[in-house]
Amino acid sequence: MTTKKITLNAEKRKVIADQFQSFYEDKVKDKLIQAKEQYDLMRDKAKEQIEKVVRFHQPQEDVDTIRKMISKYSSSGGELYHDNCFYVQMPITKVDDNGKEYISQDEVHVRFDMGRNFARAYYRDELKAKGLNPDFHLSIEDDYSKRNPKYYNDESNCNRFLGFSTSSNDDKSVITPVSKWENDFKLWVIGTSYCHSRHFKVDENTLEFFKMYRASADEVIKQHQQLYSYVEGKMKTLRLGLKSYRTFDQAKALADKVGVVLNETMLNESSSLALSIYSPDNLASLLEDKEVLTRDQKIAIARQQMAQQSVN
């Protein structure tokens, strides 16, 4: 008696591709994790160091005096700003094209908020868990002519989750990553909101430390780029192969050779979940006027429904 072979379709090929992608990401994601951990350590040290620098140039008693003056004379009493952006610098000697020496500044921008590329790298796992695409900007390989409606949709969804874009309809009780980082560390400084209007002089060792801090943030972005490049290189080849495969057995043979865990249950589970989520009872429940369920909540409902059916 012969067993009927499973014919592949677009949905099954996607399930298979996802298994391969997870396999390749697991091989290299440790480098991104380590870069994040190193940045976190450097960030804690940078907070301590920048507070020492700022308070050396702007003692707390001066800040307190200006606060009293503002209380008494309003804006005429001076200016204070709660800042998480700082510039540190050290005088250095340079030589111009004519061989003449001149004094310049070696400067580092020290920031404790998040840039967008950094945010997508640091919160990549969280974005993917929500079904979002944190790699959209890497997929165009700096060729902005490749930006299409999907690119802009992915960008918008990521920005909304991270908190770079907000609307009046957003749940104000949800603390976005941007908000969390904006308020994680701030110092009262004398002056306006213009960060570049303040330059704090430091010695060579302190300047080099802050360069290392900046480099640790750049490393997170770099490891995200390298993870994507490695995995996408593998996936481009895999997708071409999967298009030519007609049956599950062909994909299974490839998975076994590569070391990817793949079995028929994964295909069946994907199909069963889809059927269970959109069964008449569950679909009716999802269409009710109530709180919108996340994808994870929908899957949980489907799994529960399937478990009940197996018991019965």
Side-chain angles (χ1 to χ4, degrees):
M1 182 176 180
T2 59
T3 303
K4 184 178 179 181
K5 292 185 177 181
I6 299 175
T7 303
L8 297 181
N9 56 23
E11 180 184 355
K12 289 182 172 62
R13 287 189 176 93
K14 183 179 184 309
V15 173
I16 294 168
D18 286 346
Q19 288 298 115
F20 275 84
Q21 179 153 345
S22 295
F23 171 78
Y24 287 120
E25 288 197 3
D26 286 344
K27 292 183 69 173
V28 293
K29 70 178 182 180
D30 281 350
K31 291 183 178 180
L32 176 57
I33 293 172
Q34 290 167 7
K36 288 169 57 176
E37 290 174 345
Q38 180 62 24
Y39 170 79
D40 289 341
L41 292 173
M42 292 293 293
R43 180 181 175 87
D44 286 339
K45 294 178 181 178
K47 291 177 186 178
E48 298 174 2
Q49 197 68 21
I50 197 65
E51 186 165 10
K52 291 178 182 178
V53 170
V54 173
R55 287 296 158 252
F56 175 78
H57 291 283
Q58 297 183 355
Q60 185 62 45
E61 53 265 31
D62 291 352
V63 173
D64 294 339
T65 297
I66 292 178
R67 183 173 282 112
K68 290 177 182 177
M69 295 291 286
I70 293 173
S71 177
K72 186 173 182 179
Y73 299 106
S74 298
S75 59
S76 299
E79 290 183 295
L80 292 175
Y81 186 70
H82 213 195
D83 210 352
N84 56 17
C85 162
F86 312 91
Y87 280 88
V88 297
Q89 62 181 22
M90 182 187 74
I92 58 172
T93 301
K94 290 187 175 181
V95 180
D96 63 20
D97 294 338
N98 298 318
K100 185 178 180 180
E101 292 185 347
Y102 66 98
I103 300 299
S104 182
Q105 300 291 336
D106 193 358
E107 184 178 80
V108 178
H109 182 195
V110 184
R111 57 187 294 185
F112 294 94
D113 59 352
M114 273 194 311
R116 300 189 183 215
N117 286 344
F118 178 88
R120 290 190 287 266
Y122 193 93
Y123 286 96
R124 185 175 187 270
D125 287 346
E126 290 82 352
L127 287 161
K128 288 178 69 67
K130 292 293 183 181
L132 306 179
N133 177 16
D135 307 328
F136 69 88
H137 61 297
L138 300 174
S139 65
I140 64 171
E141 300 175 326
D142 294 326
D143 183 354
Y144 291 105
S145 66
K146 294 181 180 179
R147 290 180 294 184
N148 54 27
K150 183 181 184 307
Y151 173 97
Y152 291 111
N153 186 58
D154 287 341
E155 179 182 41
S156 177
N157 289 336
C158 286
N159 285 344
R160 191 175 300 113
F161 173 84
L162 293 168
F164 287 110
S165 63
T166 58
S167 72
S168 58
N169 296 324
D170 291 340
D171 184 352
K172 301 301 185 292
S173 66
V174 176
I175 300 176
T176 65
V178 167
S179 177
K180 176 183 176 181
W181 283 58
E182 284 282 352
N183 296 291
D184 171 62
F185 178 78
K186 288 185 177 182
L187 293 174
W188 284 104
V189 293
I190 298 170
T192 68
S193 61
Y194 295 100
C195 178
H196 209 281
S197 66
R198 292 179 294 278
H199 297 83
F200 299 99
K201 285 185 169 55
V202 296
D203 59 28
E204 184 176 1
N205 288 337
T206 303
L207 189 75
E208 288 303 314
F209 167 77
F210 284 121
K211 286 182 179 180
M212 291 172 60
Y213 169 62
R214 279 289 303 269
S216 70
D218 293 339
E219 185 66 14
V220 174
I221 297 172
K222 175 185 173 182
Q223 290 303 329
H224 179 201
Q225 293 169 338
Q226 292 187 346
L227 184 156
Y228 175 80
S229 295
Y230 171 81
V231 174
E232 184 59 20
K234 298 291 186 183
M235 294 305 295
K236 281 181 179 178
T237 303
L238 174 74
R239 292 185 195 107
L240 289 174
L242 281 180
K243 282 183 179 179
S244 67
Y245 290 174
R246 298 187 61 190
T247 66
F248 174 76
D249 288 347
Q250 292 173 294
K252 178 70 167 97
L254 173 64
D256 289 344
K257 290 181 179 180
V258 173
V260 176
V261 177
L262 186 66
N263 53 60
E264 295 180 11
T265 306
M266 295 171 180
L267 301 183
N268 295 334
E269 182 183 47
S270 175
S271 300
S272 298
L273 280 174
L275 291 172
S276 181
I277 289 173
Y278 296 110
S279 66
D281 289 341
N282 284 335
L283 183 55
S285 176
L286 295 176
L287 291 173
E288 291 179 7
D289 292 328
K290 59 183 180 181
E291 181 182 357
V292 177
L293 296 177
T294 65
R295 179 177 179 274
D296 290 341
Q297 288 173 322
K298 293 175 183 177
I299 291 176
I301 291 174
R303 292 188 190 280
Q304 183 180 16
Q305 180 78 7
M306 291 169 63
Q308 291 175 348
Q309 290 174 353
S310 64
V311 171
N312 295 335

